[in-house]
CSV table of all heavy atoms in Angstrom, one decimal:
chain,number,residue,atom,x,y,z
A,59,THR,N,103.6,100.8,112.4
A,59,THR,CA,102.4,101.2,113.3
A,59,THR,C,101.6,102.2,112.6
A,59,THR,O,100.3,102.2,112.7
A,59,THR,CB,102.9,101.8,114.6
A,59,THR,OG1,104.2,102.5,114.4
A,59,THR,CG2,103.2,100.7,115.6
A,60,GLY,N,102.2,103.1,111.7
A,60,GLY,CA,101.4,104.1,110.9
A,60,GLY,C,100.4,103.3,110.1
A,60,GLY,O,99.2,103.8,109.9
A,63,PHE,N,97.3,102.4,112.0
A,63,PHE,CA,96.4,103.5,112.3
A,63,PHE,C,95.6,103.8,111.0
A,63,PHE,O,94.4,104.1,111.0
A,63,PHE,CB,97.1,104.7,112.8
A,63,PHE,CG,97.7,104.4,114.2
A,63,PHE,CD1,99.0,104.7,114.5
A,63,PHE,CD2,96.9,103.8,115.2
A,63,PHE,CE1,99.5,104.5,115.7
A,63,PHE,CE2,97.4,103.6,116.4
A,63,PHE,CZ,98.7,103.9,116.7
A,64,ARG,N,96.3,103.8,109.8
A,64,ARG,CA,95.7,104.1,108.5
A,64,ARG,C,94.6,103.0,108.2
A,64,ARG,O,93.5,103.3,107.7
A,64,ARG,CB,96.7,104.2,107.4
A,64,ARG,CG,97.4,105.6,107.4
A,64,ARG,CD,98.3,105.8,106.2
A,64,ARG,NE,99.6,105.1,106.4
A,64,ARG,CZ,100.6,105.5,107.1
A,64,ARG,NH1,100.5,106.7,107.7
A,64,ARG,NH2,101.7,104.9,107.3
A,84,HIS,N,94.7,112.1,116.8
A,84,HIS,CA,96.1,112.5,117.0
A,84,HIS,C,96.8,112.4,115.7
A,84,HIS,O,97.5,113.4,115.3
A,84,HIS,CB,96.8,111.6,118.0
A,84,HIS,CG,96.6,111.9,119.4
A,84,HIS,ND1,95.4,111.8,120.0
A,84,HIS,CD2,97.4,112.4,120.4
A,84,HIS,CE1,95.4,112.1,121.3
A,84,HIS,NE2,96.7,112.5,121.5
A,85,MET,N,96.7,111.3,115.0
A,85,MET,CA,97.4,111.1,113.8
A,85,MET,C,97.0,112.1,112.7
A,85,MET,O,97.9,112.7,112.0
A,85,MET,CB,97.0,109.7,113.3
A,85,MET,CG,97.7,109.3,112.0
A,85,MET,SD,97.0,107.8,111.4
A,85,MET,CE,98.1,107.5,110.0
A,88,GLY,N,98.8,115.2,113.0
A,88,GLY,CA,100.3,115.0,112.9
A,88,GLY,C,101.0,114.8,114.3
A,88,GLY,O,102.2,114.7,114.4
A,89,ARG,N,100.1,114.7,115.3
A,89,ARG,CA,100.7,114.5,116.7
A,89,ARG,C,101.0,113.0,116.9
A,89,ARG,O,100.4,112.2,116.3
A,89,ARG,CB,99.7,115.0,117.8
A,89,ARG,CG,99.7,116.5,117.8
A,89,ARG,CD,98.8,116.9,119.0
A,89,ARG,NE,97.4,116.6,118.8
A,89,ARG,CZ,96.5,116.3,119.7
A,89,ARG,NH1,96.9,116.1,120.9
A,89,ARG,NH2,95.2,116.1,119.4
A,90,LEU,N,101.9,112.7,117.8
A,90,LEU,CA,102.1,111.3,118.2
A,90,LEU,C,101.0,110.7,118.9
A,90,LEU,O,100.4,111.4,119.8
A,90,LEU,CB,103.4,111.2,119.0
A,90,LEU,CG,104.8,111.3,118.3
A,90,LEU,CD1,105.9,110.9,119.3
A,90,LEU,CD2,104.9,110.5,117.0
A,91,VAL,N,100.7,109.5,118.7
A,91,VAL,CA,99.7,108.8,119.5
A,91,VAL,C,100.3,108.5,120.8
A,91,VAL,O,101.6,108.3,120.9
A,91,VAL,CB,99.3,107.5,118.7
A,91,VAL,CG1,98.4,106.6,119.5
A,91,VAL,CG2,98.7,107.8,117.4
A,96,VAL,N,99.7,103.1,121.9
A,96,VAL,CA,100.6,102.4,121.0
A,96,VAL,C,101.0,101.0,121.6
A,96,VAL,O,101.0,100.0,121.0
A,96,VAL,CB,101.9,103.2,120.7
A,96,VAL,CG1,102.9,102.4,119.9
A,96,VAL,CG2,101.5,104.4,119.9
A,116,ASP,N,108.9,99.7,111.4
A,116,ASP,CA,108.9,101.0,110.7
A,116,ASP,C,107.9,101.9,111.5
A,116,ASP,O,106.7,101.6,111.5
A,116,ASP,CB,108.5,100.8,109.3
A,116,ASP,CG,108.0,102.0,108.6
A,116,ASP,OD1,108.2,103.1,109.1
A,116,ASP,OD2,107.3,101.8,107.5
A,117,GLY,N,108.4,102.9,112.2
A,117,GLY,CA,107.5,103.8,112.9
A,117,GLY,C,107.3,103.4,114.4
A,117,GLY,O,106.7,104.1,115.2
A,118,PHE,N,107.9,102.3,114.8
A,118,PHE,CA,107.9,101.8,116.2
A,118,PHE,C,109.2,101.2,116.5
A,118,PHE,O,109.7,100.4,115.7
A,118,PHE,CB,106.7,100.8,116.4
A,118,PHE,CG,106.8,100.2,117.8
A,118,PHE,CD1,106.2,100.9,118.9
A,118,PHE,CD2,107.4,99.0,118.1
A,118,PHE,CE1,106.3,100.4,120.2
A,118,PHE,CE2,107.5,98.5,119.4
A,118,PHE,CZ,106.9,99.2,120.4
A,120,ARG,N,108.9,104.8,118.7
A,120,ARG,CA,109.0,106.2,118.4
A,120,ARG,C,109.5,107.1,119.6
A,120,ARG,O,109.8,108.2,119.4
A,120,ARG,CB,107.6,106.7,118.1
A,120,ARG,CG,107.0,107.1,116.8
A,120,ARG,CD,107.7,107.7,115.7
A,120,ARG,NE,106.8,108.4,114.7
A,120,ARG,CZ,106.2,107.8,113.7
A,120,ARG,NH1,106.2,106.5,113.5
A,120,ARG,NH2,105.5,108.5,112.9
A,124,GLN,N,108.7,103.5,124.5
A,124,GLN,CA,108.4,102.4,123.6
A,124,GLN,C,109.6,101.5,123.3
A,124,GLN,O,109.4,100.3,123.2
A,124,GLN,CB,107.8,103.0,122.2
A,124,GLN,CG,106.5,103.7,122.3
A,124,GLN,CD,106.0,104.3,121.0
A,124,GLN,OE1,106.5,104.0,119.9
A,124,GLN,NE2,105.1,105.2,121.1
A,192,ARG,N,97.7,112.7,101.5
A,192,ARG,CA,97.4,112.1,102.8
A,192,ARG,C,97.0,113.2,103.8
A,192,ARG,O,97.7,114.2,103.8
A,192,ARG,CB,98.6,111.3,103.3
A,192,ARG,CG,98.6,109.8,103.3
A,192,ARG,CD,99.9,109.2,103.5
A,192,ARG,NE,100.5,109.5,104.8
A,192,ARG,CZ,101.6,108.9,105.3
A,192,ARG,NH1,102.2,108.0,104.6
A,192,ARG,NH2,102.1,109.3,106.5
A,194,ASP,N,97.8,113.5,106.9
A,194,ASP,CA,98.9,113.9,107.7
A,194,ASP,C,100.1,114.4,106.9
A,194,ASP,O,101.1,114.8,107.4
A,194,ASP,CB,99.3,112.9,108.7
A,194,ASP,CG,99.7,111.5,108.1
A,194,ASP,OD1,99.3,111.3,106.9
A,194,ASP,OD2,100.3,110.7,108.8
A,203,ARG,N,104.4,117.1,112.6
A,203,ARG,CA,105.1,115.8,112.6
A,203,ARG,C,106.6,115.9,112.7
A,203,ARG,O,107.2,115.2,113.4
A,203,ARG,CB,104.7,115.0,111.3
A,203,ARG,CG,103.4,114.4,111.3
A,203,ARG,CD,103.0,113.9,109.9
A,203,ARG,NE,103.6,112.7,109.5
A,203,ARG,CZ,103.7,112.3,108.2
A,203,ARG,NH1,103.3,113.1,107.3
A,203,ARG,NH2,104.2,111.2,107.9
B,1,LIG,P1,104.1,107.0,110.0
B,1,LIG,O1,103.4,106.4,108.9
B,1,LIG,O2,105.0,106.1,110.7
B,1,LIG,O3,104.7,108.4,109.7
B,1,LIG,O4,102.9,107.3,111.2
B,1,LIG,C1,101.9,108.2,110.9
B,1,LIG,C2,101.3,108.7,112.2
B,1,LIG,O5,100.9,107.6,113.0
B,1,LIG,C3,102.3,109.5,113.1
B,1,LIG,O6,102.4,110.8,112.7
B,1,LIG,C4,101.7,109.3,114.4
B,1,LIG,O7,100.5,110.2,114.6
B,1,LIG,C5,101.1,107.9,114.4
B,1,LIG,N1,102.1,106.9,114.9
B,1,LIG,C6,102.6,105.9,114.2
B,1,LIG,N2,103.5,105.1,114.9
B,1,LIG,C7,103.5,105.7,116.1
B,1,LIG,C8,104.2,105.4,117.3
B,1,LIG,N3,105.1,104.4,117.4
B,1,LIG,N4,104.1,106.3,118.4
B,1,LIG,C9,103.2,107.3,118.3
B,1,LIG,N5,102.5,107.6,117.2
B,1,LIG,C10,102.7,106.8,116.1
Side-chain angles (χ1 to χ4, degrees):
T59 35
F63 296 130
R64 280 184 283 278
H84 277 66
M85 180 190 185
R89 286 185 289 147
L90 286 189
V91 176
V96 172
D116 158 20
F118 175 83
R120 251 327 200 276
Q124 292 178 17
R192 253 169 59 172
D194 55 347
R203 279 166 79 200

